[in-house]
Amino acid sequence: MLDFRDNLTPVNRAADDLRRGLPVVVAGADGKGLALLPLELANGPALDAFEAVAGTGFLMVTGQRAEVLKVGHKGWPVVRLKRPGWMESADLAALADPTLDLASPLKGPFTRIDHPDTDTDRAALKLLKWARLLPAALAAEIDDAATVAAREGWLVANADAVLAVDLSQASALRIVARALVPLAGAEKTELVSFRPLSGGIEHIAIVVGDPSRHSPVLARLHSECFTGDLLGSLKCDCGEQLRGAIKAIGEAGGGVVLYLAQEGRGIGLISKLKAYSLQDQGYDTVDANTRLGFDVDERVFAPAAKMLKSLGFSTVRLMTNNPEKVAALGRFGIEVTERVQHAFPPNPHNVGYLATKKSRTGHML
Ligand SMILES: Nc1nc2c(ncn2[C@@H]2O[C@H](COP(=O)(O)OP(=O)(O)OP(=O)(O)O)[C@@H](O)[C@H]2O)c(=O)[nH]1
Ligand SMILES: [Zn+2]
């Protein structure tokens, strides 16, 4: 059996350091690497330490963010920019974060560095996303990545391990605890928790009743939404969809809701709140994500497929309006025999959000 610890642990540890605003190194197969500092946290002693070792460095942003910054990006997923001499820590944060535009109007133009699309570059921004940070970095090339990192105490993640992290982490999921938790409308419910072998992001299956493993199970993949699920936010339909799914599954006699730790379509709560702040300025949910430098939807549904298989389910009747969820489960080996509509009437605060889902992300509403 593969030991996923070898692949996952360095990636998760490096992501943790990035979240502390510490430099890390992403290393390519040739031993060369990129030292990285997240732009949104590039300040203070960590910035000084980075510059002392790596110089002023250059900037890395996604193609989406480059577009907003009016830098031609030739369709590249990652774009390197020269770091203008005037850019200090507050300017660096503002380059990454469009919610700071009013306080710190961008002072372009920026100059692209023509650089081929490499695994190391893509891994660098993937690691920032995995750390639930904005995908924009101060970076510098390092010839002997392992030696420099060891000398400076910087953690190293291999580019290929970073690029495979979603699938490795999904494969490494194991059931770690299960307990009966009676829910309103579904009293015979068991919560089954999953954790990757070497630790990391945890997901929960909500198994209602005792659904058969021999016929398609009524199932819902629910991505975590702190604001909607917990606070009852009216900006989205998540709270209604979560409680509605549990109720409907209870009434149908059994099934499963997967509660997936994919807050904000995979960008994390802080970045989702930044997206909401852009929505306050008039951008819709799609444009807010791309202005921040993200894809419209950053979720990978491999963990969901792995959880279903671990629970003994291979075919589902999926409660969703999102065709991508149906396609993704199919790609990861779960057959969707039926899509079950799962929509609720809009309210004045989420009517625009639901309309955008229909018109721009293909939701069948
Ligand atoms: N980035 C971002 N995430 C959002 C926004 N509004 C809601 N979300 C997140 O979107 C996800 C909603 O997930 P789901 O309801 O499972 O997915 P869906 O794609 O709408 O598909 P179905 O509900 O199954 O039709 C949750 O993780 C929310 O936190 C937003 O404006 N921006
Ligand atoms: Zn929501």
Side-chain angles (χ1 to χ4, degrees):
M1 196 182 85
L2 276 177
D3 183 3
F4 290 101
R5 235 164 279 234
D6 290 338
N7 291 331
L8 279 172
T9 303
V11 177
N12 283 327
R13 288 183 68 192
D16 285 348
D17 263 14
L18 284 175
R19 289 177 64 78
R20 293 185 187 95
L22 296 175
V24 306
V25 173
V26 171
D30 56 3
K32 295 183 178 175
L34 284 174
L36 299 176
L37 202 57
L39 278 192
E40 66 177 310
L41 299 171
N43 53 43
L47 180 57
D48 294 341
F50 181 95
E51 289 176 336
V53 174
T56 52
F58 54 89
L59 308 164
M60 293 176 79
V61 295
T62 62
Q64 292 94 331
R65 188 74 187 128
E67 176 121 9
V68 175
L69 297 170
K70 302 204 171 13
V71 177
H73 54 81
K74 299 183 172 174
W76 294 342
V78 178
V79 180
R80 292 184 175 194
L81 307 175
K82 286 187 181 155
R83 177 183 173 185
W86 50 262
M87 279 195 116
E88 293 305 328
S89 58
D91 311 302
L92 293 173
L95 183 87
D97 185 351
T99 66
L100 302 174
D101 279 356
L102 287 181
S104 190
L106 285 169
K107 304 186 190 81
F110 297 99
T111 308
R112 186 184 67 222
I113 303 169
D114 273 330
H115 186 264
D117 176 29
T118 65
D119 280 357
T120 315
D121 278 33
R122 273 183 289 117
L125 293 195
K126 171 67 189 176
L127 187 61
L128 283 155
K129 289 181 179 180
W130 186 249
R132 300 292 190 255
L133 293 165
L134 294 174
L138 178 63
E141 286 182 351
I142 305 183
D143 277 345
D144 188 353
T147 307
V148 174
R151 191 186 69 217
E152 301 302 325
W154 295 349
L155 297 179
V156 182
N158 287 328
D160 51 1
V162 174
L163 293 174
V165 70
D166 289 292
L167 299 187
S168 330
Q169 181 123 309
S171 306
L173 284 173
R174 298 288 182 274
I175 293 174
V176 284
R178 47 202 314 163
L180 298 174
V181 180
L183 303 180
E187 288 188 36
K188 193 167 175 293
T189 292
E190 185 180 34
L191 299 193
V192 184
S193 62
F194 289 78
R195 180 190 278 156
L197 223 50
S198 59
I201 299 172
E202 296 155 5
H203 308 280
I204 304 284
I206 305 166
V207 182
V208 178
D210 185 15
S212 163
R213 269 56 177 177
H214 305 295
S215 55
V217 64
L218 185 59
R220 162 101 186 127
L221 313 187
H222 188 88
S223 302
E224 176 182 338
C225 177
F226 168 77
T227 45
D229 300 339
L230 213 59
L231 304 181
S233 162
L234 299 173
K235 264 184 83 69
C236 58
D237 53 345
C238 302
E240 284 171 308
Q241 285 189 315
L242 175 62
R243 267 168 278 282
I246 291 168
K247 183 163 174 281
I249 290 173
E251 285 166 3
V256 58
V257 176
L258 301 186
Y259 194 78
L260 302 166
Q262 303 173 322
E263 173 67 60
R265 297 197 297 271
I267 69 175
L269 180 58
I270 304 284
S271 293
K272 185 179 87 167
L273 292 177
K274 289 181 188 290
Y276 277 179
S277 155
L278 294 177
Q279 289 167 38
D280 290 343
Q281 296 171 32
Y283 297 101
D284 68 18
T285 183
V286 167
D287 291 334
N289 257 47
T290 53
R291 279 191 90 74
L292 290 162
F294 292 106
D295 292 343
V296 175
D297 194 332
E298 292 280 356
R299 289 173 292 182
V300 174
F301 289 103
K306 168 73 182 186
M307 290 165 76
L308 287 168
K309 287 178 197 165
S310 300
L311 292 167
F313 302 115
S314 55
T315 54
V316 297
R317 297 170 55 227
L318 191 64
M319 305 172 78
T320 185
N321 315 310
N322 182 349
E324 176 50 28
K325 285 186 182 174
V326 176
L329 279 188
R331 281 199 298 277
F332 295 118
I334 298 286
E335 186 192 351
V336 180
T337 58
E338 182 189 346
R339 183 186 72 82
V340 180
Q341 188 78 0
H342 193 54
F344 294 83
N347 70 60
H349 301 281
N350 72 10
V351 65
Y353 170 70
L354 295 177
T356 303
K357 278 194 185 189
K358 188 173 175 183
S359 64
R360 300 196 65 187
T361 57
H363 281 69
M364 295 172 278
L365 288 162

